[in-house]
Amino acid sequence: MLKALTKLNPIAGIRMMSHHSPLSGKVAIVTASTDGIGLAAAEALGQRGAHVVVSSRRQTNVDKAVSLLRSKNIQVTGTTCNVGNAEDREKLINMTVEQCGGVDMLVSNAAVNPFFGNILDSTEDVWDKILGVNVKSSFLLTKLVVPYMEKRGGGSVVFVSSVAGYQPMQGLGPYSVSKTALLGLTRALAPDLAQSNIRVNCVAPGIIKTRFSSALWESESMTEEVLKQTSIKRSVQLLPL
């Protein structure tokens, strides 16, 4: 994900990061960033000098994440945000601009999955919820940040998809389709935003052991079935922050 957000010397990149902060002065919004992949991304960006803006639907989760990141000397601002709500999306961007001076990076990580089972049993409400949060909100957040990135001479947008976007997972039909849609959204946006020096990339993690994905790895039999669909045949455990 960091390669999608920054451009480092491919040979000396690691050495460079140890001597200076490559993202110093940059502002990065990471949605759904008080736990799991989102929090790990926020910490990684913050450790490289970015001022990170974290968000979650619950204030208690935001407070906990902000406290944790500040304890690691990371510059961080936090707010509540339900990305499926237009007012919350606007509040997130406006607060970031007002308190941090602008926006350089957006990591659209927020996702929901209220359904597990045969795809033919999924309802219209399920599809509306999944596509609304996982896909539509990613586009609408991007649309909101683009003018501010243009003012700063460019920026970077990263959508968090999933291996399920390439190979739909059994029981996760609608969710898998939403992740495939993010791949298409990336390809659709990239040429247009390149004209404004804004890069658009998409990452597709495998099975990461987080609270959100617990249904896939807490059951040994389910884990075995899911891993059969992956090439590397293993899951990943996030290191404690």
Side-chain angles (χ1 to χ4, degrees), residues 121-138:
D121 293 329
S122 58
T123 64
E124 183 176 359
D125 287 343
V126 164
W127 282 93
D128 287 344
K129 180 70 172 179
I130 291 177
L131 294 178
V133 172
N134 299 7
V135 184
K136 186 171 74 172
S137 70
S138 293

Side-chain angles (χ1 to χ4, degrees), residues 98-114:
E98 290 171 3
Q99 296 191 21
C100 307
V103 184
D104 298 285
M105 292 167 276
L106 168 67
V107 180
S108 185
N109 174 64
V112 296
N113 181 46

Side-chain angles (χ1 to χ4, degrees), residues 15 34 42 77 86 106 168 197 216:
R15 188 166 50 216
T34 61
T77 300
L106 168 67
N197 195 34
L216 299 178

Side-chain angles (χ1 to χ4, degrees), residues 141-194:
L141 279 170
T142 301
K143 193 172 181 178
L144 287 173
V145 300
V146 163
Y148 297 106
M149 290 183 176
E150 289 177 332
K151 288 181 180 179
R152 290 163 80 93
S156 178
V157 175
V158 175
F159 299 125
V160 180
S161 178
S162 165
V163 292
Y166 292 97
Q167 176 59 56
M169 293 183 179
Q170 185 176 2
L172 297 175
Y175 174 82
S176 298
V177 171
S178 74
K179 293 303 182 176
T180 302
L182 287 178
L183 303 177
L185 180 60
T186 302
R187 295 176 69 90
L189 283 172
D192 288 340
L193 293 186

Side-chain angles (χ1 to χ4, degrees), residues 57-70:
R57 288 178 295 179
R58 297 182 180 179
Q59 186 65 52
T60 53
N61 293 340
V62 173
D63 294 340
K64 182 178 178 181
V66 168
S67 178
L68 176 63
L69 294 173
R70 284 180 178 166

Side-chain angles (χ1 to χ4, degrees), residues 37-80:
I37 292 174
L39 180 57
E43 182 188 19
L45 292 167
Q47 288 178 335
R48 286 158 178 79
H51 183 144
V52 294
V53 179
V54 299
S55 63
S56 173
R57 288 178 295 179
R58 297 182 180 179
Q59 186 65 52
T60 53
N61 293 340
V62 173
D63 294 340
K64 182 178 178 181
V66 168
S67 178
L68 176 63
L69 294 173
R70 284 180 178 166
S71 73
K72 298 175 181 292
N73 297 316
I74 289 173
Q75 193 174 11
V76 56
T77 300
T79 185
T80 55

